[in-house]
Amino acid sequence: MEEGLISVDKWTTVSQVYFLTHLHSDHTQGLTPKWSKGPLYCSPITARLFPVRFPGFDMLLVRVLEAGKPQTLTLVSRSSHSKVLVEVTAIDARHCPGALMYLFRGQFGSVLYTGDFRWEIGDMKAVEGKNILLNALGDKKLDLLYMDNTYCNPSFSFPPRKVAAQQVVDIMTSHPHHDFVIGVDNLGKEDLLLHISQMLNTKIWVWPERLRVMHLLGFEDAFTTKTCLTRVRAVPRYSLTFETIESLNTVRPTIAILPTGLPWGKKFLDQKSLSYSCVSLCKEGSDIFAETGHSSEIFKSPRKLHQHMFAVSYSEHSCFKEIEEFLKYVNPSRISGIVSSAFCCINPRHYLDHLCKDESDNLCCKDSRGKLGLSVAWKAESVLECDKAFGIDKQINISGLLKGCKLRADSPKVLGVQRSMISKIRRRVRGVKIDHNDNFY
DNA sequence: GCGATCAGAT
DNA sequence: CACATCTGATCGC
């Protein structure tokens, strides 16, 4: 497809139409109340929440797309001035409220941009999404997949959100005299809070802005801004630190809960491996949770991060198995990760470079746009090497994942690259201007 | 001084 | 080693 027609979660470049997957801030960088570069497509829920995030935004620019209802857009080629027909189909991404994936089809072929997504195995809404996707594709293959690769590493395995939500409730019922604070973002994890509210038959405190969001989402009854009504409070995630929880405990016994797919607190990690020192911390907390009967694997159980703080693997991103399953379904010709982080596209040699320094330079180089990245597609051998590097004992066959696929590793990663450089690049790789001149390896 | 962007933090 | 977010510094007007 030619340049300048479609942008997804990318707001600073010139395009004819723009697509927003969801309202998390890392997908709206460059989008402001005064933004007016062109029509903006999003889900009905995103459109409803839009004025909260961008007060005064010209809502005439916003076009609502319903999941599963394909729409044909007529764009104009900037070079030949001829019409370019693009069919777009939105699919529920099962991430936060209103999150969509977009499938684009046209003469250029078919391109799917997942945005952030969690397709749990057995989740009927995800099955529905798969059917929409496969129906739209017909007998054509998917040419290019831009995929949420946040947890695209076999190290990550977490339970369905329902199970994780129950783990949180279990922590609460086993501490009947404690207050609780749960770290959440401006959007997302509502189902967790609703589950807690129902199981404990209590309202949940949220901050005023968040209450507005809850009301716009249709959750009228479960939330309150009156502290006296409840011992369960949802607080901004960034506000939860060891310091704040310790300080809360000088007033009354309080337990903090971090719902996250991520492994940390960073101070608990063994620097050299993802098979962490966290194991020992789990043991400390595991007695309490033995009765949950869930897997003892690290990510499947609550982890005690601190005397008064637990992390529970409630994730709005797909874990590795789910990504694997997803890839089997869509069977793309090419893949490009949309998240650059050490866990997903990590250079398999990150933890092995002391063993192969002489070769390491070959693996990290600039691509044609000057971005740092791996210029070689992962081969099955290097994936297996990655397993070893991560200390994974089980033979997980992920080489099949890459069969027929070339994975472009956007990851800047390691091997002497400065951290500041990594964060710069991470910011840059979010969002995409759909463009066939993009280079894939 | 203001908004936009960036760096650095949790 | 940072899910998404905030704060504070800096830049351009």
Side-chain angles (χ1 to χ4, degrees):
Chain A
M1 196 196 316
E2 76 173 55
E3 206 175 331
L5 293 181
I6 296 173
S7 289
V8 187
D9 290 350
K10 198 172 182 96
W11 310 102
T12 48
T13 49
V14 174
S15 276
Q16 281 173 36
V17 283
Y18 295 81
F19 290 83
L20 172 60
T21 59
H22 64 289
L23 269 178
H24 280 155
S25 63
D26 54 335
H27 292 257
T28 58
Q29 277 176 39
L31 195 54
T32 64
K34 288 175 183 165
W35 184 94
S36 62
K37 289 180 195 290
L40 183 159
Y41 289 83
C42 65
S43 69
I45 290 174
T46 299
R48 201 187 313 152
L49 297 175
F50 217 89
V52 178
R53 183 63 61 85
F54 303 108
F57 192 91
D58 178 6
M59 292 303 285
L60 293 174
L61 292 171
V62 174
R63 312 287 150 86
V64 171
L65 271 184
E66 303 241 12
K69 295 184 180 168
Q71 257 192 44
T72 301
L73 312 178
T74 307
L75 308 179
V76 180
S77 162
R78 294 162 92 202
S79 49
S80 67
H81 300 285
S82 57
K83 282 183 182 176
V84 180
L85 293 180
V86 178
E87 187 200 75
V88 57
T89 307
I91 297 134
D92 189 339
R94 310 291 289 133
H95 178 62
C96 65
L100 291 179
M101 306 182 180
Y102 296 107
L103 173 68
F104 302 98
R105 294 171 60 232
Q107 276 198 317
F108 51 86
S110 58
V111 178
L112 176 65
Y113 189 96
T114 67
D116 292 345
F117 79 102
R118 176 137 195 213
W119 275 8
E120 284 159 0
I121 291 156
D123 173 356
M124 291 318 290
K125 279 273 171 72
V127 171
E128 202 177 295
K130 283 170 193 170
N131 289 333
I132 291 168
L133 197 50
L134 294 183
N135 278 338
L137 281 171
D139 53 0
K140 303 273 171 56
K141 66 181 172 56
L142 183 63
D143 296 299
L144 173 56
L145 171 66
Y146 288 99
M147 186 185 73
D148 174 11
N149 53 322
T150 304
Y151 295 123
C152 189
N153 183 299
S155 318
F156 291 103
S157 160
F158 21 78
R161 281 170 285 198
K162 262 189 208 165
V163 173
Q166 189 53 42
Q167 290 172 351
V168 174
V169 169
D170 291 344
I171 293 173
M172 292 177 165
T173 51
S174 61
H175 296 83
H177 304 298
H178 278 74
D179 278 12
F180 294 94
V181 285
I182 307 163
V184 297
D185 293 317
N186 293 327
L187 187 62
K189 314 212 165 137
E190 289 73 13
D191 288 345
L192 167 64
L193 300 179
L194 287 169
H195 182 77
I196 294 165
S197 172
Q198 281 162 16
M199 297 302 286
L200 300 184
N201 190 28
T202 179
K203 282 183 190 279
I204 294 178
W205 182 93
V206 289
W207 63 99
E209 271 286 276
R210 197 58 157 99
L211 186 69
R212 221 180 130 200
V213 170
M214 292 304 194
H215 285 177
L216 285 168
L217 293 173
F219 309 134
E220 303 290 340
D221 305 324
F223 302 96
T224 178
T225 50
K226 290 178 186 155
T227 4
C228 60
L229 291 182
T230 176
R231 60 186 184 105
V232 183
R233 283 166 279 157
V235 301
R237 178 160 54 93
Y238 59 86
S239 72
L240 268 191
T241 63
F242 289 172
E243 210 185 346
T244 55
I245 192 63
E246 276 166 18
S247 151
L248 282 171
N249 272 276
T250 62
V251 184
R252 58 168 64 231
T254 305
I255 286 172
I257 305 225
L258 281 172
T260 175
L262 285 170
W264 31 74
K266 77 175 178 193
K267 284 174 188 164
F268 313 107
L269 296 176
D270 181 309
Q271 289 291 320
K272 294 221 170 98
S273 164
L274 279 177
S275 329
Y276 333 170
S277 55
C278 194
V279 173
S280 58
L281 288 152
C282 287
K283 276 183 189 153
E284 203 185 338
S286 64
D287 298 344
I288 307 164
F289 309 110
E291 74 271 17
T292 60
H294 299 303
S295 165
S296 59
E297 285 175 59
I298 284 173
F299 292 101
K300 292 188 176 173
S301 306
R303 286 97 67 200
K304 192 167 187 176
L305 301 179
H306 177 270
Q307 190 189 353
H308 310 294
M309 194 183 286
F310 292 92
V312 175
S313 294
Y314 188 100
S315 171
E316 307 261 51
H317 295 266
S318 299
C319 68
F320 184 76
K321 271 205 173 125
E322 292 158 356
I323 293 173
E324 195 175 31
E325 183 77 5
F326 172 71
L327 286 181
K328 278 181 202 157
Y329 253 89
V330 298
N331 191 29
S333 301
R334 292 179 299 170
I335 305 175
S336 177
I338 60 172
V339 180
S340 169
S341 99
F343 294 133
C344 43
C345 289
I346 195 159
N347 183 325
R349 301 190 187 203
H350 178 47
Y351 297 107
L352 293 177
D353 65 353
H354 61 288
L355 297 176
C356 54
K357 270 201 166 61
D358 51 338
E359 286 174 78
S360 58
D361 286 350
N362 301 330
L363 289 168
C364 190
C365 61
K366 286 183 178 179
D367 73 15
S368 60
R369 283 169 303 172
K371 277 191 202 171
L372 280 161
L374 299 177
S375 67
V376 289
W378 281 9
K379 303 228 167 54
E381 306 89 70
S382 58
V383 170
L384 290 173
E385 212 175 334
C386 184
D387 289 358
K388 281 187 219 155
F390 278 94
I392 294 158
D393 297 329
K394 282 178 287 183
Q395 275 297 335
I396 301 169
N397 178 16
I398 66 166
S399 50
L401 276 180
L402 302 176
K403 203 170 68 181
C405 297
K406 289 181 180 175
L407 178 63
R408 172 178 137 212
D410 265 325
S411 172
K413 272 353 57 83
V414 303
L415 301 176
V417 181
Q418 288 175 353
R419 300 226 186 290
S420 59
M421 185 60 125
I422 291 176
S423 79
K424 247 183 229 165
I425 292 164
R426 183 175 65 246
R427 287 186 179 115
R428 217 189 303 164
V429 296
R430 279 293 200 185
V432 64
K433 192 161 155 188
I434 305 280
D435 166 11
H436 83 300
N437 292 319
D438 228 352
N439 292 298
F440 302 96
Y441 293 95

